[in-house]
Amino acid sequence: MLNAPLPLGATIGMLGDGQLGRMLSLAASRLGFKTAVFGPEDGAPAAQVSASAIVASYDDEDALRRFAASCDVITLEFENIPAATLEFLTGLGKVVAPGAHALRITQDRVLEKTFAREQGVATVDFRAVDTLDDLKAALAALGTPSLLKTRRDGYDGKGQVWIRDASEAEAAFNAVGGKPSILEAKASFTREISVVAARGWNGEMRAFPIGENHHVNGILSTTLAPAPVSDDVTKAAHDIARRVLQGLDYIGVLAVELFVLDGDVLVLNEIAPRVHNSGHWTQEGCVCDQFEQHIRAVTGWPLGDPSARCTVEMTNLLGDDILDWPRLAAEPQAQLHVYGKAEPRPGRKMGHINRIKS
């Protein structure tokens, strides 16, 4: 762990080179830090705005040693970094936040939901699925419709398929590549919300106001925050985030995605061990946004004020949406954020826009 806050001019290592790393690097620069990025893509979004970058695979130990030598602390911008990479860097004596333990749990949907229940956090009913026979047994137990997801690596609707009748079991198992999976019971929810929260080295925790999320084809489309939810829902969501942060011994920002059932009952959907798409609204909406908060947490600085300054609707810009940038940039009471990706492919996150509502 860090024994003292990092001084101005220190270097933060960033595992991952995408748009989240880009926005983390910009926040770090604003606070007087440098960032060194490590990732597999040449000219990636984070590398474009960082002091240095190493392009290599996450299992390249020689490259990781070079990277580690330049860093005062190391963090990550997305959860699909191999936990073994974090363990290797820790073995070199580097401070890594969040740590490999938290990553191992949140990378695996079965371990994640099991962990949540151990912390007293409700989840949808689920079964682990390793074989087609497992899937058939799980369908018999949970019924249909139910959702089959790969245990690892899926995001934005990838690696998952709805099963609406038990006869679809084999086709569904083939659709996820026969990989180790999880079958989840359908949640009859009234809305989807998320809470983004941070924990520092001294155990201090701060949570942002709740965001209400709307997805299209499995990809987040919009987030409205602060969401019009009751004080009881806010309190319960923040309590869930606290349990998750403490249970994982987590350092940095994470997001907890929740279903709201009838009666304002909250059920955990997923944990994202990183800054999160549903927290982008904080850039214009909060005194301290999620990216600065993460930098503050991992460097041992005091956590910032997460209170809302205004209501914001964040809209993702996917694929060719970004080509409408002249009109978007001219919108009053709106801020356009562009990720620096060269090719707008269907479903690819190219940027987002934060529209101030009040």
Side-chain angles (χ1 to χ4, degrees):
M1 65 178 289
L2 285 183
N3 296 317
L6 290 186
L8 300 178
T11 297
I12 300 168
M14 188 77 61
L15 292 168
D17 52 19
Q19 69 264 17
L20 299 178
R22 180 187 184 95
M23 290 181 277
L24 284 166
S25 292
L26 292 171
S29 177
R30 192 169 65 245
L31 293 181
F33 295 111
K34 301 173 185 176
T35 52
V37 170
F38 189 104
E41 183 182 342
D42 192 26
Q48 295 171 18
V49 297
S50 298
S52 63
I54 291 178
V55 179
S57 64
Y58 294 115
D59 60 358
D60 186 332
E61 293 186 355
D62 289 339
L64 287 169
R65 285 190 181 91
R66 296 198 307 274
F67 170 69
S70 69
C71 302
D72 296 294
V73 69
I74 296 171
T75 189
L76 52 90
E77 64 114 25
F78 81 128
E79 63 266 47
N80 291 332
I81 307 292
T85 298
L86 274 63
E87 291 169 345
F88 177 79
L89 292 167
T90 302
L92 296 178
K94 306 308 295 188
V95 176
V96 182
H101 171 69
L103 198 62
R104 283 193 184 279
I105 290 175
T106 54
Q107 282 179 338
D108 184 307
R109 290 185 171 92
V110 172
L111 295 181
E112 180 180 85
K113 284 184 167 57
T114 301
F115 159 80
R117 290 186 170 189
E118 291 170 350
Q119 305 307 309
V121 177
T123 74
V124 296
D125 202 1
F126 67 94
R127 297 290 188 277
V129 172
D130 292 317
T131 67
L132 179 58
D133 285 342
D134 288 343
L135 177 55
K136 291 177 179 178
L139 285 167
L142 301 183
T144 56
S146 51
L147 185 60
L148 183 67
K149 300 178 179 178
T150 54
R151 286 179 66 155
R152 303 172 63 89
D153 297 337
Y155 64 96
D156 286 347
K158 299 177 177 66
Q160 62 184 52
V161 58
W162 279 101
I163 301 177
R164 307 195 181 278
D165 187 271
S167 64
E168 300 169 2
E170 185 171 0
F173 194 59
N174 290 336
V176 298
K179 296 178 179 178
S181 301
I182 182 173
L183 187 72
E184 298 178 356
K186 179 177 171 57
S188 298
F189 57 89
T190 59
R191 64 209 308 192
E192 295 181 57
I193 64 172
S194 59
V195 55
V196 176
R199 181 172 180 265
W201 290 102
N202 63 356
E204 178 187 11
M205 289 181 283
R206 305 294 296 272
F208 289 93
I210 306 301
E212 181 170 352
N213 305 318
H214 295 274
H215 292 77
V216 176
N217 297 323
I219 303 176
L220 182 66
S221 177
T222 63
T223 295
L224 178 69
V229 298
S230 68
D231 290 343
D232 286 345
V233 167
T234 296
K235 182 179 178 180
H238 284 176
D239 180 64
I240 288 171
R242 177 187 60 78
R243 290 169 184 252
V244 170
L245 286 165
Q246 290 181 329
L248 292 173
D249 193 20
Y250 191 92
I251 307 299
V253 164
L254 59 67
V256 180
E257 300 175 27
L258 301 163
F259 295 134
V260 184
L261 310 186
D262 287 338
D264 283 347
V265 174
L266 299 185
V267 172
L268 181 138
N269 178 29
E270 289 187 353
I271 302 167
R274 53 176 169 79
V275 289
H276 195 251
N277 200 168
S278 69
H280 292 353
W281 73 275
T282 63
Q283 291 170 302
E284 275 63 56
C286 293
V287 177
C288 174
D289 68 44
Q290 67 165 343
F291 301 101
E292 178 178 328
Q293 193 75 298
H294 185 78
I295 296 301
R296 284 172 171 263
V298 302
T299 58
W301 279 35
L303 297 184
D305 182 356
S307 60
R309 298 186 295 187
C310 56
T311 299
V312 174
E313 183 179 70
M314 186 285 301
T315 300
N316 272 326
L317 303 174
L318 306 178
D320 287 347
D321 291 347
I322 198 65
L323 302 180
D324 199 25
W325 66 263
R327 181 187 64 81
L328 296 170
E331 277 195 33
Q333 294 295 295
Q335 186 69 52
L336 178 63
H337 297 264
V338 180
Y339 300 156
K341 297 178 181 179
E343 183 183 358
R345 298 192 297 268
R348 191 182 197 191
K349 293 174 181 173
M350 301 298 295
H352 67 272
I353 187 167
N354 285 332
R355 295 181 172 97
I356 296 173
K357 295 298 184 180
S358 64

